[in-house]
């Protein structure tokens, strides 16, 4: 019976991008068709206890998750050490025994969340499990069986309690993909710019998009191609387009902290792909304006992942003019087309329409959208009748702005050109508000600074007066 | 630019151009670079292709080799064929040259392998 294979697992997460956890795990589960039974409702804690149908399912989740630190088959938990050990002892021996065989090497690993421990402390903790009838030899590197003790000391590193809030013990199954974040670090990447998305968020996007080996993935605002790097990591074949000729040719000004005078000759999206051994999955990038048709109407993509221009770090432009004229032939060569403002609302409308046409059924569009936090509500997000909103995660940028990662799944083929509802003005004025609020903040800061300076001056004056009085008194007393 | 990409590109962005497909290719530099053969990817891409366009494009730049002119029915199990398709789709690259709109004759430059499909503002 397969139902007997269901076991409890502990998913242990990094304490970062908390909002992205659940959507990511759900996406991965749908990718591998895994049914997850939630023992507790997923919450803010960095650990979840779930039931999975097989160890394979646990491995599959770990093979894709960026938020996951590790996953273990959960044998016992407790609020105190005593309770934990009591529960380990009462875990069915027949479920543990297969891992205690003499031919299997093992180790016990102690991991703490939000606390550091000395080696001696760890050793004494390991020894506290000496009642387990482990028969194999100890092997610290790549043992056949790794048992794990996890201690959770809360989320507040400023107030670490004496004893952990919670302890877990079980058999380690696999680590998540945290290592990949380091492997794809922007610090060591050949070609980056000030729009490059950090690898962690890029990998989240690729997971949200359900990128699978052999998928065709497009980023129509590709910039330095950071999202394509993540998509190719999961086996995607990647295509990109961008309006910025210099960017795609690696000729924009370098943006590293200690900039070299010039970029290397071979800086490009393609060289990034080669750097990570994904050269074979690089298809092409094209200089093109996303507001205009480029592809054959029947061309279908598996995923679209993108970070459209918000007009804060980069211009939101498209080719166009408000004037009516023709460029004479002798001016044509080397003519740099003039550009007009490409409004945010229009960008998203075009993007959704594009995705509705070019995504396969069930394919996903994953994109960021900037919002003014105090104006935001979900019903004001731009929408399209062909899509269902699968996930919507906030990343706070400043006190008053954030960006949200939207995951949209295509449910219908487009019937006719959709002109969008103009109900939502959420997008229309983002840029204006961003700068307006920025201005307000600056004014506030200036005012605060002024007041602070005033207060400081007053205090100084007061102190000076005080000192003068004291000196007066001193001198008068000495006169006496 | 790979011929896979060429198979999907149009010049529909141009004012007055309805189909803009297939684009002509004027190849000044071509590079042939070996890439990893992934039969799964090739199998998934073939149904998306316009085979005539692929063959003609390859032929026009002198790289059709022994790629069949038409797609046979049971290509799925023909590994040799899939490898040929892989080669033409992913290993032959136009580095410098032009793409030509079939309706208007407008030329789009390809520099260092990157097609430039940008228009001037009076062409919209
Ligand atoms: C937020 S950035 C995306 C950055 C990208 N994720 C990266 O890894 O660098 C937005 C990009 O959109 C491009 N862009 C702006 N307007 C465009 C348009 N009308 N069509 C195509 N690309 C455009 C900009 O040149 C910029 O590279």
């Amino acid at each position: 019976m397969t139902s007997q294979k269901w076991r409890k697992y502990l998913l242990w997460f990094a304490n970062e991008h908390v909002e992205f956890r659940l959507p990511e795990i759900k996406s991965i589960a749908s990718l591998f068709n895994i049914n997850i039974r939630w023992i507790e409702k997923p919450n803010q804690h960095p650990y979840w206890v779930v039931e999975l149908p097989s160890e394979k399912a646990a491995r599959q989740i770990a093979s894709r998750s960026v938020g996951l630190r590790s996953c273990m088959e959960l044998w016992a938990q407790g609020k105190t050490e005593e309770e934990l050990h009591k529960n380990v002892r009462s875990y069915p021996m027949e479920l543990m025994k297969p891992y205690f065989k003499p031919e299997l090497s093992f180790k016990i690993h102690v991991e703490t969340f939000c606390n550091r421990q000395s080696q001696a402390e760890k050793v004494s903790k390991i020894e506290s499990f000496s009642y387990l009838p482990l028969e194999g030899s100890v092997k610290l590197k790549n043992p056949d069986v790794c048992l794990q003790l996890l201690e959770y000391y809360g989320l507040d590193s400023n107030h670490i309690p004496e004893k952990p809030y919670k302890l877990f013990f079980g058999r380690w199954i696999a680590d998540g993909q945290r290592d990949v974040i380091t492997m794809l670090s922007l610090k060591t990447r050949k070609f980056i710019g000030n729009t490059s998305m950090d690898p962690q968020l890029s990998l989240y996007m690729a997971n949200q998009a359900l990128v699978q080996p052999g998928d065709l993935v497009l980023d129509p605002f590709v910039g330095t191609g950071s999202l394509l790097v993540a998509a190719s990591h999961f086996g995607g074949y990647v295509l990109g387009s961008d309006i910025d000729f210099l960017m795609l040719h690696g000729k924009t000004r370098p943006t590293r902290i200690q900039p070299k005078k010039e970029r290397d000759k071979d800086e490009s999206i393609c060289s990034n792909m080669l750097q990570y051994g994904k050269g074979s999955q690089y298809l092409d990038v094209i200089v093109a304006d996303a507001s205009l048709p480029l592809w054959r109407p029947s061309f279908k993509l598996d995923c679209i992942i993108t970070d459209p221009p918000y007009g804060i770090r980069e211009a939101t432009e498209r080719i166009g003019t408000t004037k009516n004229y023709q460029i004479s032939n002798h001016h044509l060569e080397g003519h740099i087309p003039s550009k007009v403002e490409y409004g945010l609302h229009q960008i998203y409308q075009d993007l959704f329409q594009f995705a509705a046409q070019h995504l396969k059924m069930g394919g996903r569009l994953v994109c960021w959208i900037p919002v003014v936090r105090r104006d935001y509500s979900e019903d004001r997000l731009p929408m399209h009748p062909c899509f269902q909103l699968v996930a919507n995660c906030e990343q706070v940028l400043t006190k008053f702005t954030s960006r949200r990662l939207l995951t949209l799944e295509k449910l219908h083929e487009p019937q006719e050109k959709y002109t969008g509802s103009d109900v939502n003005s959420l997008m229309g004025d983002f840029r204006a508000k961003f700068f307006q609020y920025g201005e307000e903040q600056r004014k506030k800061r200036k005012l605060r600074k002024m007041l602070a300076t005033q207060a400081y001056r007053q205090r100084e004056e007061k102190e000076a007066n005080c000192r003068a009085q004291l000196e007066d008194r001193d001198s008068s007393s000495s006169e006496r | 630019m790979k011929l896979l990409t060429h198979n999907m590109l149009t010049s529909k962005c141009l004012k007055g151009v309805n189909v803009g497909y297939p684009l002509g290719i004027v190849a000044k530099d071509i590079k042939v670079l070996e890439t990893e053969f992934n039969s799964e990817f090739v199998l998934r891409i073939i149904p998306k292709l316009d085979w005539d366009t692929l063959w003609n494009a390859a032929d026009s730049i002198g790289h059709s080799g022994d790629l069949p002119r038409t797609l046979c029915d049971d290509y799925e199990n023909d590994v040799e064929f899939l490898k040929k398709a892989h080669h033409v789709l992913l290993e032959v690259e136009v580095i410098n040259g032009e793409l030509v709109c079939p309706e208007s004759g407008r030329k789009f430059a390809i520099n260092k392998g990157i097609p430039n499909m940008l228009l001037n503002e009076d062409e919209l």
Side-chain angles (χ1 to χ4, degrees):
Chain A
M1 291 294 297
T2 52
S3 63
Q4 285 170 344
K5 289 268 193 218
W6 283 87
R7 292 276 162 79
K8 260 192 200 144
Y9 292 87
L10 183 82
L11 302 180
W12 184 263
F13 294 95
N15 189 33
E16 217 179 338
H17 300 304
V18 177
E19 272 201 27
F20 292 66
R21 261 181 216 155
L22 185 57
E24 192 203 30
I25 294 297
K26 281 187 172 167
S27 294
I28 297 169
S30 84
L31 200 59
F32 293 109
N33 227 333
I34 298 169
N35 191 359
I36 300 180
R37 291 186 192 152
W38 305 98
I39 301 301
E40 297 158 17
K41 225 172 126 224
N43 50 36
Q44 299 297 300
H45 290 305
Y47 53 82
W48 296 347
V49 179
V50 299
E51 273 182 0
L52 296 174
S54 65
E55 186 176 318
K56 184 175 165 217
R59 286 186 193 284
Q60 285 173 324
I61 290 175
S63 76
R64 286 292 295 246
S65 176
V66 192
L68 188 72
R69 281 168 54 156
S70 70
C71 168
M72 69 176 181
E73 187 182 79
L74 186 61
W75 290 0
Q77 51 180 304
K79 288 201 167 65
T80 61
E81 250 173 87
E82 295 70 42
E83 194 186 18
L84 177 80
H85 283 292
K86 193 179 122 244
N87 291 336
V88 173
R89 284 172 204 268
S90 59
Y91 187 70
M93 186 45 86
E94 73 266 22
L95 295 182
M96 295 194 277
K97 230 178 174 163
Y99 306 102
F100 294 168
K101 287 185 195 149
E103 66 270 26
L104 297 178
S105 62
F106 77 93
K107 80 165 171 187
I108 299 179
H109 177 71
V110 182
E111 180 96 37
T112 53
F113 192 99
C114 206
N115 198 359
R116 263 176 230 269
Q117 281 181 344
S118 68
Q119 199 52 36
E121 283 172 301
K122 285 189 179 173
V123 168
S124 90
K125 280 176 183 155
I126 291 169
E127 280 168 357
S128 71
F129 288 95
S130 57
Y131 56 86
L132 290 176
L134 284 150
E135 291 178 43
S137 55
V138 175
K139 190 174 168 224
L140 295 182
K141 224 177 162 193
N142 297 322
D144 297 319
V145 177
C146 178
L147 302 176
Q148 202 170 33
L149 168 69
L150 288 178
E151 296 186 334
Y152 176 56
Y153 288 85
L155 296 171
D156 184 355
S157 55
N158 293 322
H159 300 94
I160 301 169
E162 188 81 14
K163 302 258 177 198
Y165 291 114
K166 197 103 204 218
L167 300 93
F168 301 93
F169 185 73
R171 186 170 61 92
W172 173 85
I173 301 291
D175 284 338
Q177 301 299 304
R178 307 292 297 167
D179 286 355
V180 181
I181 299 171
T182 319
M183 188 182 96
L184 301 181
S185 168
L186 295 181
K187 288 200 192 104
T188 48
R189 189 175 301 173
K190 177 109 193 159
F191 172 51
I192 61 167
N194 62 359
T195 58
S196 301
M197 179 80 56
D198 78 68
Q200 177 160 202
L201 291 171
S202 307
L203 290 161
Y204 269 121
M205 290 178 79
N207 270 334
Q208 285 309 102
L210 309 180
V211 174
Q212 299 203 64
D215 274 357
L216 206 49
V217 185
L218 170 76
D219 180 352
F221 298 101
V222 74
T224 58
S226 52
L227 308 182
L228 298 187
V229 164
S232 71
H233 178 76
F234 292 130
Y237 280 70
V238 298
L239 269 175
S241 66
D242 199 287
I243 200 168
D244 191 339
F245 179 94
L246 293 176
M247 174 83 83
L248 295 192
H249 283 275
K251 291 275 181 292
T252 49
R253 249 195 290 148
T255 54
R256 295 204 184 267
I257 314 268
Q258 288 158 314
K260 290 176 274 178
K261 283 245 167 58
E262 277 174 38
R263 287 184 182 274
D264 289 343
K265 278 235 156 31
D266 57 340
E267 283 190 32
S268 67
I269 294 175
C270 183
S271 58
N272 284 347
M273 303 289 291
L274 289 167
Q275 179 182 353
Y276 299 123
K278 304 289 173 188
S280 297
Q281 288 156 239
Y282 171 81
L283 297 178
D284 269 308
V285 294
I286 294 160
V287 184
D289 182 341
S291 70
L292 297 172
L294 178 65
W295 308 100
R296 236 167 62 196
S298 58
F299 180 40
K300 290 284 188 261
L301 299 154
D302 298 300
C303 327
I304 298 174
I305 50 176
T306 197
D307 185 19
Y310 324 144
I312 307 299
R313 292 164 305 177
E314 71 299 85
T316 47
E317 300 171 322
R318 60 191 173 85
I319 305 296
T321 174
T322 43
K323 300 188 204 96
N324 200 353
Y325 62 89
Q326 260 210 327
I327 301 159
S328 60
N329 263 335
H330 68 277
H331 277 135
L332 243 175
E333 190 141 341
H335 172 80
I336 297 167
S338 81
K339 293 167 185 162
V340 295
E341 162 89 21
Y342 189 14
L344 265 185
H345 183 67
Q346 195 61 44
I347 289 182
Y348 284 92
Q349 216 162 290
D350 288 352
L351 176 63
F352 287 9
Q353 185 61 33
F354 174 84
Q357 180 178 8
H358 288 289
L359 271 178
K360 67 175 180 192
M361 279 296 269
R364 286 184 173 185
L365 163 65
V366 177
C367 65
W368 290 98
I369 190 162
V371 298
V372 174
R373 297 188 75 199
R374 71 179 182 211
D375 294 351
Y376 170 78
S377 66
E378 185 163 310
D379 57 356
R380 295 184 71 199
L381 284 175
M383 272 304 131
H384 189 285
C386 292
F387 288 97
Q388 181 192 15
L389 184 65
V390 175
N392 170 6
C393 309
E394 180 180 34
Q395 185 201 15
V396 176
L397 296 177
T398 67
K399 208 164 131 194
F400 54 97
T401 60
S402 65
R403 58 181 176 188
R404 291 183 161 270
L405 184 63
L406 304 185
T407 305
L408 297 134
E409 194 164 295
K410 179 168 162 182
L411 295 186
H412 311 285
E413 286 297 340
Q415 299 304 320
E416 62 220 49
K417 192 157 167 67
Y418 173 68
T419 46
S421 57
D422 33 30
V423 192
N424 73 75
S425 52
L426 185 60
M427 287 296 92
D429 47 4
F430 172 77
R431 219 170 86 97
K433 285 209 168 147
F434 182 93
F435 289 115
Q436 181 202 324
Y437 288 5
E439 193 52 37
E440 275 174 28
Q441 292 292 322
R442 257 191 303 282
K443 279 192 186 141
K444 265 193 211 148
R445 269 202 302 273
K446 218 166 136 187
L447 190 69
R448 261 206 304 276
K449 206 169 143 193
M450 212 174 75
L451 291 175
T453 324
Q454 258 174 20
Y456 177 75
R457 289 238 175 82
Q458 279 169 1
R459 205 168 56 233
E460 248 185 355
E461 250 169 62
K462 230 186 191 157
E463 274 174 16
N465 282 339
C466 229
R467 263 201 309 274
Q469 275 172 14
L470 282 174
E471 274 163 20
D472 272 357
R473 218 174 41 213
D474 280 354
S475 53
S476 52
S477 63
S478 63
E479 266 169 26
R480 256 186 243 150
Chain B
M1 184 203 64
K2 300 183 169 64
L3 293 186
L4 165 54
T5 310
H6 169 263
N7 209 272
M8 307 301 168
L9 278 181
T10 74
S11 53
K12 265 162 68 96
C13 53
L14 285 163
K15 190 163 55 186
V17 167
N18 295 322
V19 183
Y21 186 86
L23 297 169
I25 304 177
V26 178
K28 294 189 184 119
D29 293 314
I30 292 173
K31 201 168 71 187
V32 178
L33 242 178
E34 198 179 314
T35 66
E36 205 177 301
F37 171 64
N38 175 346
S39 62
E40 189 195 329
F41 177 72
V42 179
L43 276 172
R44 284 173 63 181
I45 267 302
I46 288 176
K48 297 180 198 261
L49 298 170
D50 182 314
W51 193 262
D52 275 346
T53 298
L54 180 68
W55 194 89
N56 289 327
D59 193 49
S60 77
I61 60 170
H63 277 268
S64 57
D66 45 4
L67 187 74
R69 244 200 137 111
T70 53
L71 203 54
C72 66
D73 288 338
D74 57 347
Y75 66 83
E76 275 104 334
N77 302 311
D78 186 346
V79 179
E80 278 319 299
F81 163 76
L82 294 178
K83 283 191 172 157
K84 283 176 205 158
H86 164 84
H87 172 73
V88 170
L89 285 166
L90 298 167
E91 296 188 324
V92 178
E93 230 181 298
V94 181
I95 303 298
N96 290 301
E98 282 164 350
L99 290 169
V100 187
C101 168
E103 290 166 48
S104 67
R106 158 66 144 107
K107 295 189 173 83
F108 298 91
I110 303 171
N111 311 307
K112 290 203 207 156
I114 303 177
N116 180 358
M117 302 303 289
L118 281 191
L119 301 178
N120 289 318
E121 59 275 22
D122 61 343
E123 294 174 300
L124 293 166

